[in-house]
Structure formats: C-alpha cells, structure tokens
Amino acid sequence: KPEVLITIDRPDFCLSVAHRARKRLPTLRTAHYVAPSVWAWRPGRAKKMARVVDHVLVLLPFEPPLMKAAGMTSDFVGHPIAVVETPDRAQKLAFRAKAGLAPAEPLIAVLPGSRRGEVARIGPVFRKTLDLLHRQFRDLRPVLPMVGARAEAVRALFHDAPGRPVFLDPSEYSRAEKLAAFAASDVAIAASGSVSLELAAAGTPMIVAYQTNWLTALIVRQMVRVETATLVNLVTGKRAVPEYFQGACRPGPIAAEVKRYLLDGDLAEAQAALSAEAMRRLGRGGEDPGRRAARSVLSFLEGAG
C-alpha cells in the first residue's frame, strides 16, 4: 500500500505502469519526474498524462503552467545539468595535457550525434566543414568526444580530417574530462540534442545543426510548435545559438558561422553569457535538483493528504 508512485521519464512506459497501478489501487497518488516536451509538439500528451498522473516534476522553468492547464499540479525542480560547474583553467590544462595538446592550440569540438542515423547524415557535413575551415585556420585542431556505440563510425569518418583530430573515447575519458574538453574548445559544432546543454554548462560557444530524411522532416514541420530547437534559446527567449537545420545544414554556411565565432571574441563572449544565464534559469547556484524534487513530492503528499 504505497503512499505514492513516482515514475521517471520514459512517458510511454511510465504512463502504462501508472495506469496499471491505478487499476489495482484507485486512490494511489502518482508523481512523474521529467515532463514530455508538450511545448514543442503533441500538446495533447499532457491531458493524456493527467488521466493517471497527479503531480509533475519538471526540468524547465516554463513547463509548470502547461502541466497545470492539463489538470495536474507541478513544480519546477531544476535541471540536472545546472549542478555542473564550468571547468576551471586547471581542468582545461589537465585535459590538454592528457590529450597531447599544446596549452594555446585553437580547438573546435565536433559532435555529429549519438544515433547511427545522425552520424551518417550529419557526420559528412561536419567533415566537409572542417575541410573548409582548414583553408584559413591551418592550426585549428578538431576534438571529437565519442559515444561508445558510435566510436567506430566517427573514427572512420574523421580519421583523415585536417588538423590531426583528437578522439575522446568514453572508455578513456571521464564525463568531467569531456566537459573540460568542451570548455577548452574555442567553438563547437554539434548535432541538435541534449549535448547543447553540456556545451552551455561548459561555456562553449556553439553552432547547432540537424538533418533528417525528407519524410520525417515533413511530418515534424507539421507538428512542431516552436521556432527553435535549442534549449539555451528556449530558456533565455533569445536566439543566442545559431541553428542550421535541414536544407541549411551544409558545410559552407556552417563553416562561415564558425569563422565568425573564431574571429569575433565579443560574439563568442555574448553567447557564453547567455548560456550562463540559461544555466542560472535552470537552477545553477540553487539547491540540488534531486533535493528540490524530493521536497516537491513531500509537499504534494501533504497537500493531497
């Protein structure tokens, strides 16, 4: 006879569990941690969730009103990325030493995605981008943090890229060292996704790109309700991070944007400042998100009791 069922992320699975639990225990109170992105697409998911969920713990500050409008109580508890502090100079230098990089070598972090299709579509675009950049920035070194399952594919794509690429295998580099690699980089090109928040946490200026097949793009275009897919932009309400999606995801425009950030220190600093603001709005400097989540559940139970 539990007092509350707490489900975490994975809404398709978790809502099924909550539904079955409610059938067994009709008075069971339920809380779900991590809201589905109803602000981006399929807003009807919130009302569907409200049939079996009473309280939602959300990671983004603009989500509680959306959950409450669907009939649930909700608290913003902060994003886990917010507890990650920007690596300091010593951590950056330690990463460079381990990777065999000189203290002042200019770096570009290259992140073509974590899924097979992403690497296959976006990897070649980023590879050609490096070719274009090398014509003007001969000493620019690419750094490629890899996901284990895609390490072989990334190595195959970039092994002969100009600038003597540095590959960061997850079996050899910790997450803290990966963040230090981000922070040590002058700029990053990244596939759209959660890695943009890691780059923001590290204070790294970034250009985000994405490309999918034409049919998926057509479907998504009909469903998406936001004009930007990058959370730094969404959280700050400003287009701080340049985005190159679908037809715009081409080596020439991306290389031109990277060039702007490499040559204009003020531009890079302005984006870093907005990334820091995004981290603050996501909870940096405040109480640990896990504790806030626990306190939210306790308050919910007291109010429901």
Side-chain angles (χ1 to χ4, degrees):
K1 294 182 179 180
E3 287 191 52
V4 62
L5 168 68
I6 302 174
T7 52
I8 302 174
D9 211 354
R10 306 283 183 177
D12 290 339
F13 171 75
C14 287
L15 295 187
S16 176
V17 171
H19 176 72
R20 293 184 182 201
R22 272 276 178 82
K23 287 186 75 173
R24 293 282 189 95
L25 298 169
T27 60
L28 177 66
R29 287 164 287 192
T30 56
H32 185 69
Y33 197 170
V34 187
S37 303
V38 298
W39 42 268
W41 66 300
R42 288 174 57 196
R45 288 176 293 169
K47 289 187 177 180
K48 181 180 177 182
M49 188 165 72
R51 297 171 191 164
V52 291
V53 172
D54 302 309
H55 185 66
V56 191
L57 312 170
V58 303
L59 307 187
L60 303 176
F62 52 78
E63 292 180 312
L66 301 173
M67 299 298 105
K68 291 173 181 176
M72 299 170 282
T73 58
S74 181
D75 286 326
F76 166 63
V77 297
H79 197 289
I81 196 69
V83 301
V84 176
E85 294 296 332
T86 304
D88 58 24
R89 185 172 183 274
Q91 291 169 304
K92 297 177 191 178
L93 290 174
F95 156 72
R96 284 177 174 268
K98 181 174 179 177
L101 294 161
E105 278 188 289
L107 304 180
I108 178 170
V110 181
L111 299 129
S114 58
R115 298 182 177 91
R116 181 184 300 134
E118 290 174 341
V119 173
R121 285 188 298 271
I122 302 168
V125 175
F126 285 179
R127 173 66 180 78
K128 292 176 183 176
T129 300
L130 293 179
D131 288 338
L132 294 176
L133 289 168
H134 187 64
R135 296 174 186 175
Q136 182 170 355
F137 304 96
R138 308 292 293 187
D139 55 349
L140 185 65
R141 299 287 305 275
V143 177
L144 293 103
M146 299 184 297
V147 177
R150 305 290 163 247
E152 185 176 338
V154 170
R155 283 185 185 276
L157 269 172
F158 291 92
H159 75 280
D160 61 347
R164 293 174 293 131
V166 176
F167 296 96
L168 306 187
D169 193 303
S171 65
E172 300 172 10
Y173 287 83
S174 67
R175 184 167 185 261
E177 288 172 319
K178 182 181 78 169
L179 288 170
F182 289 169
S185 297
D186 297 278
V187 67
I189 50 177
S192 179
S194 58
V195 73
S196 65
L197 282 182
E198 291 186 286
L199 289 165
T204 309
M206 72 189 96
I207 291 89
V208 169
Y210 205 78
Q211 193 175 72
T212 188
N213 66 69
W214 69 270
L215 181 58
T216 300
L218 180 63
I219 295 170
V220 169
R221 194 178 299 120
Q222 303 301 317
M223 300 175 69
V224 168
R225 309 169 68 224
V226 291
E227 295 182 356
T228 175
T230 305
L231 281 172
V232 170
N233 294 346
L234 284 164
V235 171
T236 61
K238 298 179 180 178
R239 298 300 287 267
V241 178
E243 297 173 321
Y244 290 84
F245 293 164
Q246 292 306 107
C249 182
R250 293 181 286 115
I254 295 172
E257 192 72 65
V258 171
K259 177 182 174 180
R260 291 180 65 223
Y261 276 85
L262 288 173
L263 296 178
D264 189 341
D266 291 340
L267 187 66
E269 286 182 15
Q271 190 189 124
L274 283 170
S275 289
E277 173 63 16
M279 290 300 106
R280 186 190 67 77
R281 295 189 185 192
L282 290 173
R284 177 177 277 177
E287 188 177 24
D288 181 89
R291 285 187 170 274
R292 291 176 68 172
R295 185 171 290 111
S296 174
V297 172
L298 291 173
S299 297
F300 156 66
L301 287 176
E302 290 172 2

